[in-house]
Amino acid sequence: MRLEVKDIHKSFGEKEILKGISFSVESGRALGLLGRNGAGKTTTIRTLMDVFHANSGEILLDGETFNPRKVQIGYLPEERGLYPKREVLEQMVYLARLRGIGRKQAQENAKKWLARLEVAQYEKVLLETLSKGNQQKVQLASTLVCNPDIVILDEPFSGLDPVNSQILQDVVKELIADGKIVIFSSHQMSYVEEFCEDIVMINHGEVVLDGKLSEIKKEFGKNQLVISAVNQSLDELETLLTNQFSDLVEITGRTKNDLIVKLISEAGRMQLLQRLSAIDTLEIEHFETYKPSLNDIFVAKVGEEE
């Protein structure tokens, strides 16, 4: 399957929230939907699910107009949406039946996912009696109880300790391997990097970056280096580069241990290394291609507010 969102606009009154959102995602792949708080991610998701009606644009599934009522969608919202004073299994079966699953199959599916997420022992207890992490796992089980073709996960790791996070990571990888379409929204960039081959980044209702994550990282790190010295602080090294090497590089940032510099010309890499090596008092520790994290890219693209 291929899901395409094309030029979606959405306004509430006179306030335009989505300003031409476009992206696509295919079966067996995960798309990272990224953006700051208030960027339009949740509105995009709810428009995709037809909770909100778009003012213009179209959503297609395999080239045909997408009807979310004819496709099983599993949606894990950031806010908990289950009934705290109902038994776990009871409400999971209820939610599955609302999605057209027969009672027997609904019970089988619910028990399967509760077991997979290691919370089967709580099927007869009230949800509110569970820890925050176990409530999150029950909510994920409820998301998957209908065996969805499209899975939308909004901050799925919220409240999970490292052990439970690993269980969820394994489940997400299984969903991708099973050929599901997975849309993954999170501010925890390490998880996005773990699962998502593709990303779309939204800022103020517009797409500011999209494509294959590997290609984006390669392009973002192009002509950039990380440099550090054994016998100089980063401040001292920055002063040296600014005063003596401004014809070759410009400082673009720093990590905990290194300066990040951008080559003014691609041919300047070896020239820079030779000139640095010629300084007797300077002992270079790191001199290598800058490999940006998704967090670095996120901050660079949407980190500055007006």
Side-chain angles (χ1 to χ4, degrees):
M1 292 191 301
R2 178 179 175 83
L3 182 68
E4 297 175 87
V5 174
K6 292 189 171 184
D7 197 28
I8 293 295
H9 290 256
K10 176 61 185 174
S11 298
F12 295 99
E14 296 183 356
K15 185 173 179 61
E16 188 176 22
I17 304 300
L18 304 182
K19 307 169 185 177
I21 299 294
S22 297
F23 61 84
S24 65
V25 57
E26 299 180 358
S27 296
R29 296 176 73 91
L31 174 77
L33 181 62
L34 310 177
R36 297 186 66 160
N37 294 329
K41 303 186 302 297
T42 300
T43 301
T44 299
I45 290 170
R46 291 177 178 173
T47 303
L48 171 63
M49 297 175 62
D50 205 30
V51 176
F52 299 150
H53 298 296
N55 296 98
S56 62
E58 60 181 345
I59 301 173
L60 305 175
L61 184 65
D62 293 335
E64 303 290 334
T65 299
F66 177 55
N67 184 345
R69 291 166 182 79
K70 294 183 177 181
V71 179
Q72 288 288 8
I73 300 176
Y75 174 42
L76 177 71
E78 182 176 4
E79 313 86 5
R80 286 183 169 78
L82 299 180
Y83 301 104
K85 297 186 181 298
R86 293 286 187 178
E87 291 183 2
V88 168
L89 184 63
E90 173 193 7
Q91 61 182 305
M92 286 184 64
V93 170
Y94 169 71
L95 291 172
R97 299 210 65 199
L98 286 179
R99 301 177 200 177
I101 309 296
R103 180 176 294 277
K104 181 180 179 181
Q105 187 64 56
Q107 288 183 333
E108 290 178 2
N109 290 358
K111 288 176 177 289
K112 165 193 165 184
W113 281 110
L114 288 173
R116 177 66 187 86
L117 291 164
E118 300 183 4
V119 285
Q121 67 271 34
Y122 304 122
E123 66 177 44
K124 293 296 185 181
V125 305
L126 303 185
L127 183 71
E128 67 180 0
T129 65
L130 301 183
S131 67
K132 183 178 179 181
N134 283 330
Q135 287 187 36
Q136 181 72 350
K137 291 202 287 183
V138 170
Q139 182 141 309
L140 177 62
S142 300
T143 299
L144 303 174
V145 72
C146 64
N147 189 29
D149 298 304
I150 300 172
V151 181
I152 302 172
L153 305 174
D154 193 352
E155 295 294 352
F157 292 94
S158 175
L160 298 181
D161 61 37
V163 173
N164 285 323
S165 292
Q166 186 59 57
I167 294 170
L168 179 51
Q169 288 180 60
D170 293 341
V171 168
V172 174
K173 290 176 182 178
E174 290 166 13
L175 294 171
I176 296 169
D178 286 343
K180 310 295 187 183
I181 288 176
V182 177
I183 297 175
F184 186 89
S185 180
S186 178
H187 290 125
Q188 295 173 281
M189 297 298 156
S190 60
Y191 291 126
V192 178
E193 290 191 273
E194 179 76 20
F195 306 124
C196 299
E197 294 183 57
D198 309 291
I199 64 167
V200 56
M201 198 174 291
I202 300 173
N203 197 34
H204 300 302
E206 298 180 288
V207 174
V208 295
L209 185 68
D210 71 301
K212 290 185 178 181
L213 180 54
S214 59
E215 294 179 0
I216 289 171
K217 293 178 77 169
K218 182 178 180 181
E219 181 62 28
F220 195 85
K222 186 177 181 180
N223 289 341
Q224 294 197 76
L225 303 169
V226 288
I227 302 175
S228 66
V230 172
N231 55 346
Q232 288 195 347
S233 68
L234 292 185
D235 288 338
E236 292 170 334
L237 184 59
E238 181 172 351
T239 299
L240 172 69
L241 292 173
T242 300
N243 292 340
Q244 299 185 34
F245 295 86
S246 60
D247 58 322
L248 294 178
V249 297
E250 58 182 82
I251 310 296
T252 58
R254 63 170 66 189
T255 66
K256 181 180 179 180
N257 300 311
D258 303 284
L259 285 181
I260 304 171
V261 303
K262 185 172 184 178
L263 295 167
I264 292 175
S265 68
E266 191 170 345
R269 182 184 181 112
M270 290 308 300
Q271 187 179 357
L272 174 63
L273 181 58
Q274 289 169 356
R275 284 173 55 181
L276 286 171
S277 301
I279 300 175
D280 293 335
T281 57
L282 183 66
E283 184 180 349
I284 295 296
E285 182 176 20
H286 286 153
F287 186 93
E288 58 188 355
T289 301
Y290 173 47
K291 299 173 182 176
S293 68
L294 182 54
N295 191 74
D296 295 334
I297 297 170
F298 184 89
V299 171
K301 293 300 293 186
V302 302
E304 294 184 5
E305 286 292 285
E306 295 178 2

